[in-house]
Amino acid sequence: MAARRSERLAVVLRIAEREEQAAASRLRERRDHVEREQQQLAQLEAYRGQYFSDYREMTRGVDAATLQSYSGFLQRLGDALAGQQQKLAQAHQWLEQGRMEWQRRYHRRCSLEEMIKRLRREELSEQDRRQQRELDDLAGQRRHGRGGAARKF
């Protein structure tokens, strides 16, 4: 007997489950990446805050070359912060894409599960109807033919 449609779809469901798990794993990696980028930004901001504080303290009694050097460093640090903010924004976009991919695969798996449940109910219902017809046919044969071929003497 050929495999039932629900059984054939079970293979597709297993593939969908693996795809969903892989997407969830990629999503976790992307979340971790965003977290690392946020930590890097926080470190740069703290570093800049400390240097800026030191710069303000330094403005008293320091030569112009040292102040200019500090000012240049603070400018490069500001550029690094802007670059890090851009990296963080890109990481958030990457995370959102991963979330959407996982969500799409999650909904596909759920849809397949529901379809298989529905098909199994339909298959069971059809099997029940078939068995009932067979029982009705048997009962009819017994009533009309008293057992048919089974009663030969």
Side-chain angles (χ1 to χ4, degrees):
M1 180 176 191
R4 294 179 179 176
R5 189 169 178 213
S6 63
E7 293 167 352
R8 291 190 311 262
L9 280 176
V11 173
V12 176
L13 176 62
R14 283 192 296 276
I15 292 169
E17 287 170 340
R18 281 195 300 267
E19 289 173 347
E20 179 193 359
Q21 290 169 354
S25 178
R26 287 188 299 272
L27 182 59
R28 281 188 297 277
E29 290 171 8
R30 290 176 184 198
R31 282 185 181 146
D32 291 345
H33 179 73
V34 165
E35 190 174 306
R36 285 189 307 273
E37 294 297 336
Q38 286 173 330
Q39 289 172 351
Q40 181 71 27
L41 180 61
Q43 288 173 346
L44 281 171
E45 287 172 340
Y47 192 58
R48 182 185 65 172
Q50 182 61 45
Y51 262 82
F52 192 68
S53 175
D54 291 349
Y55 176 73
R56 277 190 264 139
E57 296 279 328
M58 224 180 178
T59 58
R60 300 179 197 109
V62 176
D63 63 47
T66 304
L67 283 177
Q68 191 173 16
S69 174
Y70 238 71
S71 180
F73 178 74
L74 284 172
Q75 179 62 43
R76 288 189 302 277
L77 195 50
D79 294 344
L81 271 167
Q84 184 62 32
Q85 288 169 337
Q86 186 176 6
K87 284 176 65 176
L88 181 58
Q90 289 170 342
H92 276 289
Q93 287 176 340
W94 192 47
L95 174 62
E96 183 59 21
Q97 289 170 351
R99 187 190 62 75
M100 289 170 41
E101 175 191 355
W102 170 80
Q103 197 170 40
R104 190 175 60 251
R105 296 193 185 274
Y106 169 79
H107 288 299
R108 180 170 189 265
R109 179 190 53 83
C110 290
S111 295
L112 283 168
E113 285 176 343
E114 287 303 313
M115 181 187 297
I116 289 170
K117 286 178 187 175
R118 181 181 51 81
L119 287 171
R120 285 182 178 153
R121 284 191 307 268
E122 289 173 5
E123 290 164 354
L124 285 173
S125 178
E126 178 58 33
Q127 182 180 358
D128 288 346
R129 284 192 298 272
R130 195 175 321 118
Q131 287 175 347
Q132 187 60 48
R133 278 193 306 266
E134 289 172 4
L135 289 173
D136 290 347
D137 289 347
L138 261 170
Q141 287 173 3
R142 285 187 182 151
R143 250 181 283 143
H144 295 295
R146 298 240 177 238
R151 291 222 172 219
K152 285 189 180 178
F153 289 108

